[in-house]
Amino acid sequence: VSTQSTWAANSNKLPFQLDSLVDDIDVNVSIDRATFEELIKTQLDEIRKTFVNLMNSTTVKKEQLHSVEIAGGSTRIPAVKQIIQEVFGMTPSSSLNADEGVSKGCGLQAAEHSEKFRTKKFEIQEVVTNGIEAVYVHEGNQEKVLIYDEGDNASDERMINLRTDLPVSIALQYSENVNVENKFITLYQIESENARNADLELVFRMTHNGMIKMEKVQVMTKEVPKRRKTTEPAQEMEQREPANNTVACCELKFNETSLGGMVQEMLNHFSNYEVQMIREDINEISRQEAKNMLEEQLYKYRAAINENAEGIEEEDAFKNIKDYFEQTENWLYEEGEDAPEQTYKDILKSFHEKMNVFQMWKTKFMQMKAKEEEKRRFMEQQDMQRRQHPQQGFVNPQYTQNRNTDPRVSRQIPVVYEGEGPYSRHPHQDHMNNRPQPEEGVEDTLLLQVVGGKAHRG
């Protein structure tokens, strides 16, 4: 299109380049407008013939035309514009975008035929470009009946009546004036019992693909009811007259054979093959989704264990699951690139199970580590207290043994009182104990043993 636009404005030689046209062979030539038009002379003749046939097939005269609007990339060629001016007698108009005009029209027409879109109603009348006729044999003679003539409305339904013997074969073909090598379109075989001179009614319609189809075949028969007995001859004639105009329709079955296409068996084979390919595409999409899910969970789990790996880097459980993720990643991009869907699902299930086990181990490990840390801090605190108060560093061996075996925590707490108090000794109590009284002003020390939350004097 770019080269055509340049030629339209310049008659000099212009470069024409095509990279790697065939087997890495580049094309690089120079061509002028006259040479280009000589190369497309056949196409230009077809364009002129189409325009001339259009004017001959319509009742509109050149003088009645208001304007000729052109659209499409080839309308940029000066020779095409010249042909339009010669045939229609006026300079063509190019107010529309030559490229977007066709695509927009196709999009609007497709939306109008679709049930998913609601568009503004606009009328497009499609016409039959080539005449179509039906050919059959009756009493040894070949008969032809015109179904669609050139220029007929393609959306109209066509109904033809013919008389022939049953069963019969009817072939559809292009008219004699259509210039095609093979004129035959399709063959219909009408099934019925043997009958002579049967009156048939055939219904044809053009599909949205531009193909003609026979929709229905009916055989027309006249019904003559039984004569009623009557005493008056005039009344008898009145009762028989409507019976002569009664027509019954019986629909017949038929088979279609497209002579220019494929046989039904091959069409069925390709249809089944298409269904199989669609099923394979669905399975492949499902397999890719399973692979992507495995890859996503792999990165997610590995990031989770690496972010919270403080304090467990040297543990075997951490090293094992980290190695497992690395091995799975290497397999996923090498041997597992084309693995079945179920394999990805099984590995993903194994991921969940291993992560659950790892999380349980990590929780218990951190709890145990926290207890050990708490015990270490307690021991350091006790050691610091012994250093600060050496006289309080005595520990009863029996207390140590009870502490290791008895879940109840017990320890001895020194309590110091000055002066009189609830635990101070009085002179009248000393003779009962036969113990010497402390000198006046000397601190009295009482040792309490706390066992199970209760204090006992020691």
Side-chain angles (χ1 to χ4, degrees):
V1 175
S2 175
T3 307
Q4 291 179 2
S5 302
T6 308
W7 280 328
N10 195 337
S11 59
N12 298 325
K13 286 188 176 183
L14 297 175
F16 182 77
Q17 298 178 354
L18 288 176
D19 296 335
S20 300
L21 180 61
V22 178
D23 297 334
D24 296 333
I25 298 177
D26 300 335
V27 177
N28 188 1
V29 296
S30 297
I31 186 174
D32 56 10
R33 184 188 299 175
T35 305
F36 177 71
E37 292 178 356
E38 184 66 24
L39 293 174
I40 62 172
K41 185 177 182 303
T42 304
Q43 287 74 21
L44 295 177
D45 293 341
E46 289 291 333
I47 293 175
R48 182 184 294 274
K49 180 180 178 181
T50 301
F51 292 159
V52 171
N53 292 338
L54 174 63
M55 292 302 299
N56 294 336
S57 61
T58 183
T59 57
V60 179
K61 304 300 181 181
K62 292 181 181 181
E63 295 77 13
Q64 297 175 313
L65 295 177
H66 175 269
S67 62
V68 177
E69 186 72 28
I70 57 177
S74 298
T75 57
R76 296 187 178 94
I77 304 175
V80 175
K81 295 181 179 180
Q82 182 65 27
I83 293 174
I84 294 175
Q85 186 171 358
E86 293 175 358
V87 174
F88 296 99
M90 62 179 64
T91 303
S93 172
S94 57
S95 60
L96 292 176
N97 188 302
D99 296 319
E100 296 179 0
V102 177
S103 59
K104 287 183 178 179
C106 294
L108 290 173
Q109 188 173 8
E112 184 184 15
H113 288 294
S114 175
E115 298 178 355
K116 299 181 180 180
F117 298 93
R118 180 177 296 177
T119 61
K120 182 179 180 180
K121 295 296 182 181
F122 56 94
E123 182 181 359
I124 297 179
Q125 183 177 354
E126 297 185 10
V127 297
V128 178
T129 57
N130 298 317
I132 302 174
E133 57 188 13
V135 181
Y136 65 99
V137 177
H138 178 52
E139 295 182 352
N141 298 322
Q142 187 182 71
E143 305 288 343
K144 294 182 180 181
V145 179
L146 184 64
I147 303 175
Y148 283 100
D149 196 3
E150 183 179 355
D152 288 347
N153 191 350
S155 61
D156 292 343
E157 185 181 80
R158 286 289 186 269
M159 182 184 300
I160 63 173
N161 295 296
L162 53 88
R163 176 171 293 180
T164 184
D165 300 334
L166 294 178
V168 65
S169 297
I170 299 178
L172 302 185
Q173 66 180 23
Y174 291 109
S175 303
E176 293 294 335
N177 59 347
V178 179
N179 186 19
V180 294
E181 296 181 0
N182 185 7
K183 297 182 180 296
F184 290 96
I185 301 174
T186 186
L187 177 67
Y188 291 99
Q189 296 175 333
I190 301 175
E191 301 176 356
S192 176
E193 298 179 355
N194 295 334
R196 293 184 59 83
N197 296 329
D199 293 327
L200 300 180
E201 183 181 81
L202 311 179
V203 179
F204 296 92
R205 180 179 293 275
M206 298 290 291
T207 66
H208 64 279
N209 295 324
M211 302 297 295
I212 186 171
K213 292 290 182 181
M214 185 168 68
E215 294 187 339
K216 185 170 57 176
V217 178
Q218 294 184 134
V219 58
M220 318 297 291
T221 58
K222 294 182 179 180
E223 291 184 352
V224 180
K226 295 182 180 179
R227 185 177 57 184
R228 298 179 182 178
K229 294 183 178 179
T230 178
T231 55
E232 299 181 2
Q235 184 178 359
E236 181 180 353
M237 291 298 296
E238 292 177 358
Q239 292 179 353
R240 292 186 61 181
E241 282 181 357
N244 294 334
N245 297 328
T246 303
V247 178
C249 301
C250 179
E251 189 169 347
L252 302 179
K253 296 181 179 180
F254 58 89
N255 296 324
E256 179 182 3
T257 303
S258 297
L259 303 181
M262 301 179 182
V263 296
Q264 189 63 35
E265 291 78 6
M266 186 170 291
L267 289 176
N268 294 337
H269 169 72
F270 286 130
S271 178
N272 295 334
Y273 188 65
E274 182 181 10
V275 172
Q276 179 183 352
M277 289 191 296
I278 294 174
R279 189 182 300 110
E280 291 176 355
D281 290 342
I282 295 175
N283 294 335
E284 178 63 19
I285 293 174
S286 179
R287 190 187 73 86
Q288 291 291 340
E289 289 178 351
K291 179 182 177 182
N292 294 338
M293 179 61 66
L294 175 62
E295 185 180 15
E296 179 182 352
Q297 293 298 321
L298 170 64
Y299 294 147
K300 179 181 177 181
Y301 284 152
R302 187 168 62 181
I305 65 173
N306 288 332
E307 289 176 359
N308 303 315
E310 183 178 359
I312 60 174
E313 296 90 342
E314 301 301 327
E315 300 297 328
D316 293 339
F318 175 80
K319 293 180 180 179
N320 292 337
I321 194 168
K322 187 176 180 180
D323 293 342
Y324 175 74
F325 286 151
E326 291 179 356
Q327 294 173 4
T328 305
E329 182 182 12
N330 295 333
W331 172 86
L332 186 62
Y333 296 118
E334 294 177 1
E335 299 178 1
E337 183 71 24
D338 299 323
E341 176 185 359
Q342 190 60 39
T343 303
Y344 297 136
K345 291 183 177 180
D346 294 341
I347 297 177
L348 182 60
K349 182 179 179 182
S350 176
F351 273 10
H352 297 324
E353 295 174 354
K354 288 183 179 297
M355 281 300 297
N356 290 335
V357 173
F358 177 78
Q359 292 296 341
M360 293 175 60
W361 169 85
K362 183 180 177 182
T363 302
K364 293 182 179 179
F365 178 81
M366 297 306 293
Q367 291 176 353
M368 182 178 64
K369 194 172 181 180
K371 289 182 179 179
E372 293 178 354
E373 181 66 19
E374 182 181 0
K375 182 179 179 180
R376 185 186 62 80
R377 291 180 180 178
F378 176 76
M379 297 301 295
E380 290 178 354
Q381 185 178 5
Q382 291 293 322
D383 186 57
M384 185 178 297
Q385 290 180 358
R386 283 194 300 269
R387 293 175 182 177
Q388 293 177 356
H389 306 283
Q391 69 278 10
Q392 300 175 6
F394 172 74
V395 179
N396 191 353
Q398 184 66 30
Y399 160 73
T400 305
Q401 182 179 0
N402 293 338
R403 184 178 182 183
N404 295 333
T405 59
D406 195 345
R408 297 177 300 173
V409 179
S410 64
R411 61 183 180 274
Q412 295 179 349
I413 304 176
V415 182
V416 178
Y417 294 95
E418 295 182 1
E420 295 185 359
Y423 297 100
S424 300
R425 298 189 185 92
H426 295 277
H428 67 276
Q429 295 178 347
D430 292 336
H431 70 278
M432 300 178 61
N433 298 327
N434 295 322
R435 291 184 293 184
Q437 298 182 9
E439 296 182 1
E440 217 175 292
V442 178
E443 296 179 356
D444 191 4
T445 302
L446 177 66
L447 186 63
L448 296 181
Q449 186 177 7
V450 180
V451 180
K454 297 182 180 181
H456 302 273
R457 292 183 61 183

